[in-house]
Amino acid sequence: MSTTLTNTLAWKSLGKHFNEMKDVQMKSLFVEDGNRGNRFKLKENGIYFDYSKHRITDETLTLLFNLAKERGVEERGNAMFLGEKINTTENRAVLHTALRAPKGSTILVDGRNIVPDVHAVLDKMADFSNKIRSGEWKGFTGKRIKNIINIGIGGSDLGPVMAYEALKYFSARNLVFRFVSNVDGSDFAEAVQGLDADETLFIISSKTFTTLETMANAQTARNWALSYLKDPSAVARHFVAVSTNEKEVTKFGIDPQNIFGFWDWVGGRYSMSAAIGLSTMIAIGSEHYHSMLKGLHEMDEHFRTAPFEKNIPVIMGLLGLWYNNFFGAQTQAVFPYDKYLHRFPAYLQQLTMESNGKSVTLDGVTTDYQTGVVYWGEPGTNGQHSFYQLIHQGTKLIPTDFIGFKKSLNNLPPHQDYLIANMIAQGEALAFGKTADEVRTEGVQEQLVAHKVFEGNRPSSTFFLDQMSPENLGKLVAMYEHAVFVQGVIWGINPYDQMGVELGKVLAQNIIPELQDTSKAINHDSSTNALIDFYRK
Ligand code: G6Q
């Protein structure tokens, strides 16, 4: 990349345009164009995407699209889909999109078509899932499996948890699913409460099979199971692994037949549609799982082929960048108005922040501009009764994504009307607020008027879908994945490595022996030394 981002023509034009836009009120934009709510919306791929409540005009969008062009978003996207090694710091292809490529398609990595490999694993997962769901798979004592515990962390946990919760409605209700991620022993202790080892299956999900937390939990699970089942050969009936490290998995005692593999071209946080989704498939069955893959693939195709003007992830990514880099917004809120999506914001935190939380470009230069924003959120309407106050009347600008469904999976009138009315009302209130005059006409005492004014002009997007389903979940996930990609390309950073996670891991390894052996000399800074000393005593 020869020109730095801030030297591009498009960036400079956006800077000038920002000066014209920074005080423009959305209210005026809606008055000037009575059709704005229809013009700034897309209905693509079963998603109604309303982006009219943003501080943008047609010119803003044109300039943002120019920026995307000048930074090579399309070319880089093609390179990703074709399996070029765009994760340059790790010299890897980035092909989570291949995980949902239809049977029969061709994607080459180092000259090998990887699509048949992907489908072989999917078939193996389906076979295993069917056996667990039907009771054909028996535990060591001959009982059927009733409990499934996924042990994994980060990308090997957040996707499976989120997807299980999101698709619980479609899950086999005779099976219990629990997830252990934290190295805090309480996580494991609580997960096995009330369960019998001879009815429990552990899925050890770890790409590397070396992660401290997962290995500690896997070992504890092994001890827990064997304290009841006694015979080490029971491990083969109660433990399976999802990993790329066959050697370490086998050492652990897991039958090589029961390893579900994936590849180095799938990043952890992009792996929920790889074999890391095994718990999801056991929960919802292979057919529903394939519907989820279909949804992911449809969004991949939309992103790959739609022109920028009609491309949901492109517009999302650009809007985020507009607020982050020009308005100085620090965070982005995501509020799903659907209880099943309650872990979606947590999932997105990793996807977005681990991907774009970088301050060095692909060329190794420190950026002179802001990159990844802080993602956060909770399901609506709960958030409305807590932190929404700050978004409405606080001093920070917080662009917000609302996600809702027309139909509830649980038809209990009038709940859905109440839920969706609230979602729509929040976007309206954020954009248009309430003026002092409007407050006065309500007869509010003069000394309280200022307190009851809502400034408005606070941006939001609304994503409206038909109903929560495996396919729609797939679409939502891929939509955010590609929006992250768009931003990463424009910022010129690598969304696919995570060097920042490494340092803490290394330092913890140094401190573990110092906690365990109190005679060891400690040579850290005075704060770290004192903390270690406090724990030792
Ligand atoms: C994700 C990260 C990270 C990773 C975990 C677990 O993109 O790389 O969250 O998923 O550290 O790693 P393992 O699957 O190797 O245990």
Side-chain angles (χ1 to χ4, degrees):
M1 219 161 288
S2 51
T3 347
T4 66
L5 174 60
T6 45
N7 279 330
T8 57
L9 192 62
W11 188 270
K12 288 181 182 157
S13 312
L14 275 164
K16 279 196 208 120
H17 177 66
F18 170 71
N19 287 326
E20 294 154 14
M21 285 300 294
K22 63 181 190 307
D23 298 319
V24 170
Q25 296 292 310
M26 271 189 249
K27 202 181 268 182
S28 326
L29 296 174
F30 272 87
V31 171
E32 280 160 28
D33 176 2
N35 198 32
R36 183 177 166 92
N38 283 313
R39 285 205 314 112
F40 290 86
K41 104 173 172 225
L42 290 175
K43 271 185 174 169
E44 294 284 333
N45 235 307
I47 301 181
Y48 179 138
F49 170 35
D50 175 7
Y51 57 100
S52 61
K53 294 190 185 92
H54 281 285
R55 294 165 72 168
I56 57 168
T57 59
D58 289 299
E59 190 187 351
T60 321
L61 285 173
T62 304
L63 294 173
L64 287 168
F65 294 142
N66 287 347
L67 179 70
K69 278 184 202 121
E70 205 171 339
R71 297 294 283 175
V73 167
E74 194 179 338
E75 293 76 8
R76 199 90 184 144
N78 289 336
M80 173 175 75
F81 280 100
L82 286 172
E84 284 177 33
K85 296 192 174 167
I86 63 163
N87 174 358
T88 47
T89 53
E90 296 180 319
N91 192 31
R92 288 177 181 168
V94 174
L95 274 174
H96 42 281
T97 53
L99 300 169
R100 49 261 191 164
K103 239 180 195 157
S105 42
T106 302
I107 299 167
L108 298 175
V109 174
D110 297 326
R112 179 187 170 88
N113 182 12
I114 55 170
V115 179
D117 300 345
V118 167
H119 282 272
V121 174
L122 281 170
D123 291 347
K124 185 174 168 177
M125 288 164 67
D127 183 51
F128 182 72
S129 302
N130 290 340
K131 284 187 180 140
I132 297 289
R133 288 166 64 88
S134 67
E136 187 189 330
W137 179 278
K138 298 281 188 291
F140 189 63
T141 61
K143 287 196 183 165
R144 66 184 286 172
I145 297 295
K146 285 195 190 151
N147 318 306
I148 290 98
I149 301 187
N150 185 76
I151 296 183
I153 195 165
S156 300
D157 167 69
L158 288 157
V161 177
M162 181 279 287
Y164 171 67
E165 293 294 331
L167 302 175
K168 199 181 244 171
Y169 181 87
F170 302 90
S171 70
R173 302 290 186 155
N174 59 335
L175 297 174
V176 170
F177 288 84
R178 295 190 182 162
F179 299 84
V180 177
S181 55
N182 205 314
V183 76
D184 180 344
S186 303
D187 203 7
F188 180 83
E190 287 297 336
V192 293
Q193 271 295 318
L195 307 187
D196 289 327
D198 57 355
E199 297 173 335
T200 302
L201 175 82
F202 291 96
I203 304 174
I204 314 297
S205 295
S206 178
K207 183 174 166 181
T208 55
F209 223 76
T210 56
T211 306
L212 172 90
E213 292 90 334
T214 304
M215 290 305 102
N217 280 317
Q219 205 52 55
T220 302
R222 197 175 190 278
N223 296 342
W224 178 81
L226 290 184
S227 70
Y228 180 77
L229 296 166
K230 312 289 180 208
D231 186 338
S233 62
V235 169
R237 301 305 298 167
H238 292 272
F239 287 78
V240 297
V242 179
S243 187
T244 56
N245 189 347
E246 203 175 319
K247 199 170 138 225
E248 285 302 316
V249 176
T250 317
K251 246 199 239 166
F252 184 87
I254 291 175
D255 184 345
Q257 298 285 332
N258 299 328
I259 303 176
F260 299 83
F262 62 119
W263 307 271
D264 74 352
W265 39 261
V266 185
R269 56 195 171 278
Y270 294 87
S271 67
M272 63 168 269
S273 52
I276 291 292
L278 183 61
S279 58
T280 315
M281 198 195 270
I282 297 174
I284 63 172
S286 143
E287 211 172 299
H288 283 314
Y289 193 85
H290 276 273
S291 302
M292 184 181 82
L293 296 180
K294 180 170 172 271
L296 284 153
H297 178 67
E298 281 172 8
M299 184 52 73
D300 293 342
E301 283 303 284
H302 164 73
F303 173 62
R304 194 176 66 81
T305 59
F308 286 174
E309 296 74 17
K310 289 200 173 303
N311 197 313
I312 301 178
V314 167
I315 296 176
M316 282 170 78
L318 290 171
L319 288 171
L321 186 135
W322 176 233
Y323 294 114
N324 180 53
N325 293 98
F326 293 92
F327 285 85
Q330 297 280 335
T331 81
Q332 163 81 48
V334 183
F335 302 140
Y337 276 66
D338 186 286
K339 178 70 184 168
Y340 287 115
L341 281 177
H342 72 111
R343 294 298 288 162
F344 196 55
Y347 171 77
L348 287 184
Q349 281 184 334
Q350 182 187 28
L351 177 69
T352 58
M353 291 161 73
E354 200 168 49
S355 294
N356 282 338
K358 318 281 162 70
S359 50
V360 171
T361 67
L362 290 168
D363 305 328
V365 177
T366 302
T367 62
D368 55 355
Y369 46 86
Q370 290 284 308
T371 61
V373 297
V374 177
Y375 270 72
W376 62 283
E378 279 287 321
T381 57
N382 294 11
Q384 289 175 214
H385 298 266
S386 83
F387 50 76
Y388 277 34
Q389 165 64 35
L390 185 147
I391 308 178
H392 282 290
Q393 288 189 306
T395 54
K396 311 250 179 321
L397 178 72
I398 303 180
T400 298
D401 285 353
F402 294 106
I403 302 170
F405 298 90
K406 278 168 75 173
K407 288 180 261 170
S408 171
L409 286 167
N410 299 292
N411 187 24
L412 291 171
H415 286 267
Q416 187 68 1
D417 294 345
Y418 290 2
L419 178 70
I420 297 304
N422 270 282
M423 179 184 80
I424 297 174
Q426 287 300 319
E428 187 180 24
L430 287 171
F432 305 113
K434 200 191 245 186
T435 63
D437 286 344
E438 284 166 344
V439 174
R440 282 190 193 101
T441 56
E442 290 170 358
V444 169
Q445 294 170 347
E446 195 52 36
Q447 71 268 29
L448 285 179
V449 168
H451 296 277
K452 298 208 169 209
V453 166
F454 285 69
E455 200 178 70
N457 218 20
R458 295 171 187 230
S460 67
S461 297
T462 302
F463 301 90
F464 226 156
L465 294 86
D466 184 49
Q467 194 167 33
M468 186 63 202
S469 67
E471 187 172 337
N472 280 335
L473 179 69
K475 287 179 189 174
L476 287 172
V477 167
M479 180 178 93
Y480 278 96
E481 282 177 352
H482 296 311
V484 164
F485 172 80
V486 168
Q487 296 183 337
V489 173
I490 296 178
W491 288 325
I493 56 179
N494 181 4
Y496 302 109
D497 65 9
Q498 54 283 317
M499 311 287 183
V501 181
E502 308 302 326
L503 178 65
K505 286 190 186 177
V506 174
L507 295 185
Q509 289 293 357
N510 295 342
I511 294 178
I512 290 169
E514 293 170 351
L515 297 186
Q516 291 174 335
D517 177 358
T518 48
S519 67
K520 244 186 171 21
I522 43 174
N523 286 310
H524 302 267
D525 59 275
S526 60
S527 160
T528 309
N529 284 344
L531 289 167
I532 293 172
D533 202 42
F534 180 72
Y535 183 83
R536 279 175 163 185
K537 282 176 185 152

